[in-house]
Amino acid sequence: MEGMSCNNLWVSYGAFHALSDVSLSFRPGRITSIIGPNGAGKTTLVNALTGSVAPSRGDVKIGKRTVNRFGPAKRTKMGLGRSFQTINVFSEMSVRENLELAAQARAFRLQPFWRPAQGLRVLAELADKILEMVGLTAHADQTADALSHGDQRALELGLTLIGEPDIVLLDEPLAGVGHNGIDRMDALIRTVAEGRTVILVEHNMDVVMGLSDDIVVLAGGQVLATGTPDEIRANETVRAAYLGGE
Amino acid sequence: MSEKLSFNLTFIVAAVAFLALVPSLGAGERAIYFLSLTLIWGLFAAAFDLSFGVTGLLSFGHAALLGVGAYVFSILTADYGVPWGIGLVAGAATSGLLGLLYGLISMRVGGLFFALVSLAAAELIHILISSTLRDITGGHDGFPAVPRPMIGSSWDFYDNTTFYYLILAIVFVSVLLLAILRSSPFGRLCQGVRLNPVRMTHIGFRIARIRSLALLVSGVFSGISGGLLASLMMFISPETLSWTTSGDVLIMTLLGGAGTLIGPILGALVFETMRDVLSDLTVHWYGLLGLAFILCTIHLPEGLMSLRPGRLLGRLFASRRASKGELETILEGESKWRE
């Protein structure tokens, strides 16, 4: 199992610094949450870690390997999976087709172009496993855009997991999920975290405090504090800047 | 979402069986020539749809893929005596390489910018063929005396009906291959690239490679269409590479139904029929065709394939059931009111 880190990371747009000198280490096998007010640089950090945004300065590492020059596809092959803040699935395809398509990244080298994709056992087996894990077996043949928001979130997670990544980056997995769906997602994230390094960006403080081993607080593109949930709760600076005092 | 291979195969086999019978049903020389032309345009439209309807790459430069295949085939067979079949393969391969070049362009630009850059590339090739390379291509006058195949003494392919059967066979095999490819894992990757390129990248796919491969395959089949077209007409002109050809194939595809295999072929049939009928009536036939296209996009935005016989019957019965149900509700309400 691998961890991930960034050292002296800067992402600048002209004179504006979305991230300034951020150095973090996401330790293997732990859930590290990134919190911070809107505009703190959380999504920019996620994008820099996954390769969607090129850093202006600094390094991003998967394990001991610097991956600055690698795009998202290469980083995914290296074991980094990502879910998105907004639902990002193949909306016109069925749930099964979504997962089978994602499974192709793992299942093939030379693709059997002469055979229909539908019904290929190796894809169906991988899809079935994930369907069961995220609780979508009953909706397998439903079109993705016909799913409830919570189920779409589960599918989003399924697409991230089917490549069996070592490191999972979850960008606001609870965004838009109702009260009833939160427990389900909470349980799902715990399942996902078993044997993996998880980087979680989330606004729901109850979930963050309950799930995380470590917490990073960002503000204005800089690291304000790092620590365990208890340390963060007790941190006066964080309370003043983010949690609202008391 | 996924196209049903069985549906496509059934349609292809049934259509080919019918088309094979057409000459024996007493079809005249003009009808046979028209069908040959339609089959070739149908194959070109199906090849274009692999790039546009399946992979989501709108190219305004597909005329060059058709035209380059036609010219390479014509020059090799007419000037260098290369056998017909080898000339066709060489033309297809050259168009495939040009498609791959388009793929390299798609690595840098996407969407409307790709459409414009491919248009510019096609216009550049158009200029090269019509003026710079005129000693080889014949320039604006076109390239005459493009041969048809010579196989023994019993087959006279200069007879349009005999050549029609050869075109039918080549188009049949090509469309069959396209059908299989579209339903394959590769076809699904192409769909994924069209639907959500960002997610595809984060799943681990290199979408530039998938796009390039789709354009290569599209180029190969466009090149085959070009070679067949030149051989059917026994002539090829730089007009084939004009931007209007790229526009025509887009109209055929949208008219029939983008993203389906059968739709673009059906669109080519409708397009060619209208061209044939309307051009006899008026010199402004293209305007009338445009009007029909506008009406079609308003009322049938998914093209003629959205009028599948099965779906149409389903709708009809559904509306009948609804009317019957509505009538029963009204009668029930009325009797209650009377009570």
Side-chain angles (χ1 to χ4, degrees), chain A residues 52 72-73 76-77 82 84 88-90 92-93 97 100-101 104-105 111-117 156, chain B residues 1-2 4-5 180-181 183-186 188-189 191-192 194-196 198-206:
Chain A
S52 301
T76 305
K77 293 262 180 205
R82 179 201 177 153
F84 288 83
N88 208 341
V89 298
F90 303 100
E92 290 175 29
M93 290 184 177
E97 283 172 338
E100 285 186 354
L101 170 58
Q104 280 184 222
Q111 295 182 352
F113 69 88
W114 59 92
R115 290 177 62 186
E156 173 83 34
Chain B
M1 174 68 210
S2 286
K4 292 272 182 236
L5 180 62
I180 293 168
L181 204 62
S183 301
S184 74
F186 171 69
R188 199 180 259 175
L189 290 186
Q191 286 175 24
R194 174 174 57 84
L195 292 172
N196 198 337
V198 174
R199 171 51 93 176
M200 285 293 279
T201 307
H202 283 275
I203 287 171
F205 294 114
R206 299 196 173 184

